[in-house]
């Protein structure tokens, strides 16, 4: 296994030359991606509709093709799911990634072409390991196996030729044999529908395996880890897997979970690597150790545009190209892909932390924010404030959600939080004060509305009993995979549902 590890890590490092190419020449690489996409789709129904044969530059593309969301592309996707081809993309599309999103109960079906599988998702997976091996040349990653927490939906057949499932399930189903050899548990467990049963079987199947890396959403990784510790009677995961060296995470901000993982994996050399991998594509990888930013991956067949959030509500708002973005500004991410998504508003917001090379942080969702009083609190604000409050009070947070308290005849407005703690704060009032004060420091709009309690009163925090969010997700059929608790909402629906559950109603 040591020889295999040496050969594989050497091969992975060779990719670093290509990564450095797009880091040094980002605009040329993105322009080449753009031209390839337009050329590939000229003969499609979509390409003919918008006359791709006469689009020669990015500005023409922006002027001619309107911004799209799932609802506007849905009629085309539904036809593709019935087996029609050459609609949005030129090559055959037989796979669709099922995604429910965070705040939308309706399922979305994202087309997954051969190109998006090979040149985007799988390329991202290989680059993730290449970057890690480059940063950790002494890695023994391939002397053991990678524990992958896949999606909660089986691959299903829409008809004789078309299949769909969570993106993780689609990827697992299409993996080459050599990649499957490095994974654990086997596919029969990874693709199970019943997430509670799957967690149990995963724990039993992996507790005696030499696991060197874990990949999964933090919430569900913690659930699995605790079950494994219960079964084995061990105190931490290093007693179960002494060669564990890498945890790959994404989908939610890691900050609020960091302290839990330090307890589960008490090793100063444990490597935490963040990725930005969605149903629509693989977009970012943390390329620097001990960083909270990700390198924007520019040669995956994805052309990027960036919509300033202050213009988001406008009709036909202007977007920025990569060369026009500014540091620290909040943008809605717009993508055109080799899976047939065109000028698609993915629903995520990002900010740039570095230019040349372009590095980003995910700041939230276009629909996940609180702005009932002009305070414009985004998920990034909330998670930073919670991280500071937790550190100052010794708290460890398991999950949270928040929404506005609207004005009434007798009171000003405010924000209402439901927080489930792994470890309670030493002083809840102090925790609330630090949360409030940190939000004021990092968000001037929130600070202005909090002045003298004119528009916003001090936050109201409900401490949720253990398992509250797990039960809420389970009752909604949203356990596991990519399903996440909505962090912020500008409406009260989620908070009121959870409060009713907590009160036994």
């Amino acid at each position: 296994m040591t020889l295999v590890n040496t050969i594989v890590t050497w091969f992975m490092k060779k990719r670093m030359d290509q990564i450095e190419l797009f880091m040094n020449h980002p605009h040329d690489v993105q322009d080449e991606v753009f031209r390839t996409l337009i050329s590939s789709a000229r003969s499609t129904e979509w390409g003919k509709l918008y006359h791709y044969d006469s689009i020669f530059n990015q500005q023409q593309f922006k002027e001619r093709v309107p911004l799209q969301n799932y609802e506007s592309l849905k009629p085309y996707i539904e036809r593709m799911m019935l087996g029609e081809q050459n609609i949005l993309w030129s090559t055959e599309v037989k796979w669709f990634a099922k995604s429910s999103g965070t705040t939308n109960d309706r399922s979305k079906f994202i087309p997954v072409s051969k190109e998006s599988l090979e040149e985007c998702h799988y390329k991202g997976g290989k680059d993730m390991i290449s970057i890690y091996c480059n940063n950790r040349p002494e890695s023994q990653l391939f002397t053991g196996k990678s524990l992958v927490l896949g999606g909660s939906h089986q691959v299903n057949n829409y008809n004789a030729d078309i299949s769909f499932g969570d993106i993780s399930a689609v990827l697992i189903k299409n993996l080459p044999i050599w990649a499957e050899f490095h994974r654990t548990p086997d596919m029969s467990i990874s693709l199970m529908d019943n997430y509670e049963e799957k967690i149990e079987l995963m724990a039993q199947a992996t507790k005696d395996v030499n696991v060197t890396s874990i990949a999964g959403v933090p919430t569900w990784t913690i659930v699995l880890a605790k079950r494994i510790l219960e079964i084995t009677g061990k105190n931490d995961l290093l007693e179960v897997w002494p060669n564990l060296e890498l945890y790959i995470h994404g989908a939610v901000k890691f900050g609020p979970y960091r302290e839990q993982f330090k307890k589960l994996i008490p090793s100063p050399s444990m490597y935490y690597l963040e990725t930005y991998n969605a149903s629509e594509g693989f977009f970012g990888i943390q390329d620097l150790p001990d960083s909270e930013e990700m390198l924007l991956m520019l040669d995956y067949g994805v052309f990027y545009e960036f919509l300033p959030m202050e213009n988001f509500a406008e009709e036909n708002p202007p977007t920025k190209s990569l060369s026009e973005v500014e540091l620290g500004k909040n943008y809605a991410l717009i993508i055109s892909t080799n899976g047939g998504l065109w000028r698609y508003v993915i629903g995520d917001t990002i900010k740039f932390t570095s230019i040349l090379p372009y590095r980003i942080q995910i700041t939230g969702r276009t629909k996940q924010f609180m702005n009932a009083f002009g305070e414009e609190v985004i998920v990034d604000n909330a998670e930073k404030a919670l991280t500071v409050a937790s550190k100052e009070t010794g708290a460890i947070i398991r999950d949270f959600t928040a929404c506005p308290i609207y004005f009434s005849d007798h009171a000003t407005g405010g924000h209402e939080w439901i927080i489930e703690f792994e470890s309670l704060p030493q002083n809840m009032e102090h925790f609330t004060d630090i949360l409030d004060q940190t939000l004021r420091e990092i968000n001037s709009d929130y600070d202005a509305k909090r002045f003298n309690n004119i528009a916003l009163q001090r936050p109201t925090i409900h401490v949720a009993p253990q398992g509250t969010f797990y039960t809420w997700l389970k009752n909604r059929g949203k356990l596991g995979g990519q399903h996440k608790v909505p962090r912020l909402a500008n409406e009260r629906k989620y908070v009121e549902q959870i409060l009713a559950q907590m009160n036994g109603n």
Side-chain angles (χ1 to χ4, degrees):
M1 290 300 290
T2 302
L3 177 61
V4 172
N5 184 77
T6 303
I7 294 171
V8 173
T9 52
W10 176 85
F11 177 79
M12 290 294 184
K13 288 180 193 175
K14 299 296 288 183
R15 163 65 179 157
M16 291 305 298
D17 292 338
Q18 295 169 296
I19 292 174
E20 288 173 4
L21 176 67
F22 77 67
M23 290 172 71
N24 294 326
H25 304 282
H27 308 138
D28 292 340
V29 169
Q30 269 289 276
D31 193 56
E32 182 180 345
V33 168
F34 166 76
R35 294 178 184 280
T36 300
L37 289 174
I38 294 298
S39 175
S40 299
R42 280 175 181 162
S43 63
T44 64
E45 183 175 311
W46 183 270
K48 290 177 181 177
L49 177 65
Y50 290 104
H51 304 287
Y52 276 22
D53 57 350
S54 60
I55 291 178
F56 302 109
N57 57 56
Q58 296 176 22
Q59 190 57 39
Q60 289 177 326
F61 177 62
K62 293 179 181 182
E63 291 171 355
R64 194 173 297 179
V65 182
L67 292 177
Q68 305 294 317
N69 56 30
Y70 186 76
E71 293 306 314
S72 64
L73 291 182
K74 186 177 178 180
Y76 299 93
I77 293 173
E78 287 180 336
R79 289 170 55 198
M80 294 168 70
M81 292 192 73
L82 291 172
E84 289 190 57
Q85 299 294 338
N86 210 36
I87 304 296
L88 293 173
W89 189 245
S90 54
T91 63
E92 189 174 46
V93 177
K94 288 186 168 186
W95 287 90
F96 293 81
K98 183 179 180 181
S99 171
S100 61
T102 306
T103 60
N104 192 335
D105 290 331
R106 293 172 297 175
S107 294
K108 301 175 183 178
F109 294 90
I110 306 300
V112 181
S113 67
K114 179 182 177 182
E115 290 81 1
S116 61
L117 266 178
E118 297 290 341
E119 298 169 18
C120 187
H121 289 288
Y122 288 153
K123 191 174 182 179
K126 287 183 281 189
D127 282 357
M128 174 181 69
I129 301 303
S130 297
I131 288 170
Y132 173 69
C133 291
N134 187 65
N135 290 340
R136 276 277 181 93
E138 75 283 5
S139 168
Q140 294 296 306
L141 193 67
F142 291 95
T143 61
K145 295 203 172 188
S146 177
L147 195 165
V148 180
L149 280 82
S152 58
H153 287 284
Q154 271 275 12
V155 168
N156 298 277
N157 292 324
Y158 191 78
N159 57 40
D161 298 315
I162 304 298
S163 301
F164 67 87
D166 278 4
I167 185 60
S168 54
V170 173
L171 297 178
I172 289 171
K173 196 69 175 178
N174 287 278
L175 278 173
I177 294 174
W178 65 265
E180 180 65 20
F181 174 75
H182 181 62
R183 287 182 64 262
T184 188
D186 64 43
M187 196 180 298
S188 65
I189 297 174
S190 296
L191 296 181
M192 287 181 65
D193 254 338
N194 185 319
Y195 214 77
E196 290 182 312
E197 185 181 351
K198 179 159 83 171
I199 286 287
E200 182 65 26
L201 289 178
M202 287 186 85
Q204 297 289 351
T206 60
K207 62 183 176 63
D208 298 317
V209 174
N210 178 27
V211 172
T212 53
S213 68
I214 303 173
V217 176
T219 316
W220 304 112
T221 303
I222 290 169
V223 172
L224 175 63
K226 288 187 173 181
R227 183 57 189 142
I228 287 174
L229 296 183
E230 286 176 4
I231 293 171
T232 60
K234 304 295 186 182
N235 295 311
D236 59 64
L237 289 183
L238 292 179
E239 292 184 6
V240 182
W241 302 312
N243 298 315
L244 183 63
E245 62 177 76
L246 171 64
Y247 175 53
I248 302 160
H249 61 91
V252 297
K253 196 85 167 180
F254 191 59
Y257 299 98
R258 191 174 298 277
E259 290 305 313
Q260 291 187 70
F261 275 85
K262 284 182 179 178
K263 287 186 174 182
L264 289 169
I265 311 169
S267 168
S269 62
M270 185 66 187
Y271 197 108
Y272 296 92
L273 193 155
E274 183 175 4
T275 65
Y276 183 6
N277 187 16
S279 300
E280 296 84 355
F282 203 127
F283 308 127
I285 301 172
Q286 176 190 328
D287 67 316
L288 300 175
D290 302 317
S291 174
E292 293 187 353
E293 54 188 354
M294 291 176 283
L295 184 68
L296 187 64
M297 308 307 286
L298 301 177
D299 64 348
Y300 285 7
V302 179
F303 174 68
Y304 297 101
E305 299 174 62
F306 308 92
L307 172 55
M309 280 304 290
E310 62 260 34
N311 305 121
F312 187 77
E314 296 176 9
E315 188 173 350
N316 301 317
T319 63
K320 303 291 184 182
S321 297
L322 191 64
S323 60
E324 301 172 300
V325 298
E326 301 173 40
L327 288 175
K329 196 166 187 176
N330 209 29
Y331 295 100
L333 187 62
I334 314 294
I335 57 172
S336 298
T337 76
N338 50 10
L341 301 177
W342 299 104
R343 304 202 75 207
Y344 184 79
V345 183
I346 190 174
D348 291 333
T349 58
I350 60 107
K351 69 177 180 182
F352 284 89
T353 57
S354 167
I355 290 176
L356 294 178
Y358 287 95
R359 294 191 178 98
I360 62 169
Q361 287 181 337
I362 301 171
T363 55
R365 299 279 295 171
T366 56
K367 293 182 179 180
Q368 282 199 54
F369 55 85
M370 292 187 290
N371 194 31
F373 314 101
E375 69 275 35
E376 297 187 20
V377 173
I378 61 175
V379 174
D380 187 56
N381 298 158
E383 289 174 331
K384 283 181 178 176
L386 286 170
T387 299
V388 172
S390 297
K391 186 176 181 180
E392 291 292 321
T393 64
I396 299 178
I397 291 173
R398 179 178 291 178
D399 247 321
F400 74 92
T401 191
C403 75
I405 301 170
Y406 289 98
F407 286 126
S408 68
D409 293 337
H410 308 292
T412 57
H415 290 164
E416 188 166 15
W417 298 70
I418 301 176
I419 304 177
E420 185 178 332
F421 291 94
E422 182 75 16
S423 297
L424 286 167
Q426 295 156 355
N427 184 305
M428 195 65 216
E429 293 301 308
H430 188 41
F431 179 94
T432 305
D433 287 336
I434 296 174
L435 172 68
D436 183 39
Q437 185 57 38
T438 307
L439 282 173
R440 296 187 71 164
E441 290 171 0
I442 64 179
N443 184 322
S444 59
D445 293 312
Y446 179 85
D447 184 46
K449 305 306 180 295
R450 281 285 291 121
F451 181 73
N452 286 341
N453 295 322
I454 291 174
L456 281 173
Q457 59 187 319
R458 183 171 177 265
T460 298
I461 297 180
H462 303 279
V463 177
Q466 299 284 304
T468 293
F469 287 100
Y470 183 94
T471 301
W472 182 68
L473 287 170
K474 181 181 178 181
N475 291 341
R476 298 172 71 236
K478 299 287 185 181
L479 279 185
Q482 297 176 320
H483 300 306
K484 304 176 286 290
V485 174
R487 297 310 198 193
L488 305 180
N490 217 32
E491 59 179 348
R492 294 190 52 80
K493 179 173 72 172
Y494 303 113
V495 163
E496 289 181 352
Q497 285 177 356
I498 295 166
L499 287 175
Q501 174 188 305
M502 288 165 57
N503 293 326
N505 296 328

